[in-house]
Amino acid sequence: EEEELKLLSQECKELLLSLPKEKGWRTPFLYQFQGFWCQPKEIQSIISFQKHFKSRESDVILATIPKSGTTWLKALVFAIINRRRFPPATTSDTSRNHPLLTSNPHDLVPFLEYKLYANNQVPDLSKFPDDDEPRTFATHVPYPSLEESIKKSESVKIVYLCRNPFDTLISSWHFMKILRPESLPQFSLEEAFKMYCNGIVGFGPFWEHMLGYWNESLKRPEKVLFLKYEDIKEDVVSNLKELASFLGFPFSVEEEREGVVIQEIAKLCSFDKLKELEVNKYGKAMTFSKHFENKHLFRKGEVGDWVNYLNPLMVKQLSQLMEEKFMGSGLSF
Ligand code: A3P
């Protein structure tokens, strides 16, 4: 942590002094920046992203709060957009070279704040080759804090993937325990639960993150597509159809009639398939920490695993909180 703080710009260090702070999940502190909680390094890259990013009309932005299925969404969108260049069939010869078989999805669709604008870098994104259009980026930044041209544009598309808060909490707790340095004390579920319900979680409060994108998707459905992890699990075909149409890469009549391509994309991007790939078992894509391995991105991939962790009181508390926060919004789980 100290090493990390040393690498921050003077501007960012000064800013931190003025921000409210709380104990963090995997770092000593989280800071409240533009209304949401995040780590010093993230603040620095978000400022840089807000200052330097300029959208192109065809850009696609994938947005999530951490542990909602970001890796899955990246894989699905990559496979859909690139299906002519890279046919997804898991059996045919031509598909042996599919990038998803040898690269982790995070290496195919970069995070704005963890990769492109991380560590004081200002990437030259104008050099994106034309055959990489649309440029596809990912972010955890809440809607109001996206760079202005993304929000203003009529054509830049945003896909938000939302997961029920119970599973997101459990997934986050497991993940943060892995990333948490040994110098920090143990992190109990009780503690995580309390912080989560108080809104103190990376990019949270979770309800504000979800509602920010939800409300925008109601106002501008052609710009923001709001998907749910549980819905995709339950009916992958209709969700992929909706996603492909939204992105401007609709499945053709033949593709839909045969249904093969859609099934193949679903299979290629499935938890079981990705988890077993060499690159995801032994590789490293993310720069969360020196020791971070891709395998930690694939834990269980199930809906409802929270029942194994939360006691009845916790379930009641979190349910009440959700009812209160989501009341009247139309968003429910
Ligand atoms: P669990 O911890 O509940 O297993 P993110 O990608 O945003 O970090 O989210 C991680 C969660 O998505 C983890 O949930 C992980 O197992 C699950 N996940 C990863 N790949 C998936 C896939 N291809 N399909 C469904 N879930 C997936």
Side-chain angles (χ1 to χ4, degrees):
E1 166 85 358
E2 269 176 26
E3 285 298 305
E4 278 188 10
L5 288 177
K6 272 193 221 143
L7 297 173
L8 296 176
S9 66
Q10 195 55 32
E11 181 195 3
C12 190
K13 280 186 202 155
E14 276 166 28
L15 173 67
L16 288 181
L17 294 174
S18 68
L19 298 179
K21 69 177 182 181
E22 288 282 349
K23 255 204 284 179
W25 290 54
R26 65 178 167 99
T27 49
F29 297 104
L30 279 173
Y31 293 80
Q32 194 177 37
F33 169 70
Q34 298 182 351
F36 59 97
W37 294 95
C38 57
Q39 301 165 29
K41 261 178 86 166
E42 293 163 348
I43 295 177
Q44 175 162 287
S45 30
I46 293 167
I47 292 173
S48 175
F49 154 62
Q50 291 172 340
K51 205 150 121 190
H52 300 291
F53 184 81
K54 279 289 154 282
S55 61
R56 267 191 210 167
E57 282 194 0
S58 57
D59 282 350
V60 171
I61 309 287
L62 309 184
T64 53
I65 195 161
K67 310 321 289 174
S68 307
T70 321
T71 315
W72 192 18
L73 181 64
K74 286 184 178 188
L76 290 170
V77 169
F78 182 88
I80 289 174
I81 289 178
N82 293 291
R83 68 184 185 275
R84 307 237 187 284
R85 253 203 303 170
F86 304 119
T90 42
T91 47
S92 82
D93 273 358
T94 48
S95 61
R96 287 227 184 97
N97 298 329
H98 199 289
L100 278 166
L101 297 175
T102 47
S103 302
N104 178 269
H106 292 286
D107 276 337
L108 299 173
V109 181
F111 268 119
L112 289 159
E113 64 274 12
Y114 293 110
K115 194 107 172 214
L116 298 172
Y117 291 90
N119 307 321
N120 259 333
Q121 297 170 145
V122 179
D124 182 3
L125 300 176
S126 65
K127 296 229 169 70
F128 247 71
D130 284 345
D131 57 354
D132 272 1
E133 288 229 359
R135 302 186 305 178
T136 311
F137 305 110
T139 187
H140 289 321
V141 170
Y143 184 81
S145 288
L146 291 176
E147 182 276 329
E148 288 304 314
S149 76
I150 296 178
K151 288 183 282 182
K152 277 204 200 106
S153 161
E154 296 294 327
S155 58
V156 173
K157 295 193 185 296
I158 300 172
V159 180
Y160 186 77
L161 180 60
C162 189
R163 189 180 192 191
N164 83 70
F166 292 93
D167 282 331
T168 309
L169 160 66
I170 296 303
S171 186
S172 302
W173 177 62
H174 280 289
F175 192 69
M176 299 310 164
K177 281 198 303 178
I178 292 166
L179 289 184
R180 215 171 145 88
E182 280 170 8
S183 54
L184 291 180
Q186 295 256 327
F187 190 48
S188 70
L189 178 58
E190 285 68 26
E191 205 177 342
F193 180 83
K194 221 160 113 194
M195 288 162 73
Y196 192 72
C197 291
N198 285 331
I200 303 160
V201 61
F203 300 90
F206 68 84
W207 56 89
E208 283 186 11
H209 201 279
M210 294 169 182
L211 286 172
Y213 284 96
W214 170 254
N215 289 330
E216 205 56 31
S217 78
L218 296 180
K219 267 191 257 163
R220 300 162 83 187
E222 67 301 325
K223 180 175 179 69
V224 183
L225 177 67
F226 192 96
L227 296 174
K228 286 187 181 152
Y229 183 99
E230 298 75 25
D231 292 349
I232 309 181
K233 276 266 175 192
E234 193 174 302
D235 183 356
V236 73
V237 173
S238 60
N239 277 277
L240 290 197
K241 279 187 198 168
E242 191 182 5
L243 178 56
S245 303
F246 175 80
L247 292 169
F249 292 81
F251 293 110
S252 67
V253 178
E254 294 79 53
E255 280 177 317
E256 284 207 8
R257 193 176 46 223
E258 292 172 8
V260 184
V261 180
I262 305 179
Q263 292 294 354
E264 278 166 355
I265 290 176
K267 210 160 122 193
L268 175 65
C269 300
S270 68
F271 179 82
D272 292 337
K273 176 77 191 171
L274 294 186
K275 185 186 165 80
E276 292 307 319
L277 296 171
E278 192 106 332
V279 61
N280 295 328
K281 270 180 147 169
Y282 310 111
K284 290 184 178 191
M286 291 300 302
T287 49
F288 287 132
S289 83
K290 274 194 287 232
H291 311 293
F292 186 79
E293 296 171 70
N294 293 345
K295 65 177 184 201
H296 299 308
L297 293 163
F298 306 91
R299 191 184 65 92
K300 268 196 170 173
E302 284 171 7
V303 173
D305 185 42
W306 58 267
V307 296
N308 300 312
Y309 296 92
L310 300 179
N311 67 37
L313 185 62
M314 288 168 155
V315 176
K316 194 169 153 206
Q317 277 178 8
L318 185 49
S319 303
Q320 274 173 357
L321 179 70
M322 286 161 57
E323 211 175 297
E324 184 190 309
K325 298 296 180 188
F326 295 135
M327 192 166 44
S329 70
L331 177 60
S332 60
F333 294 91

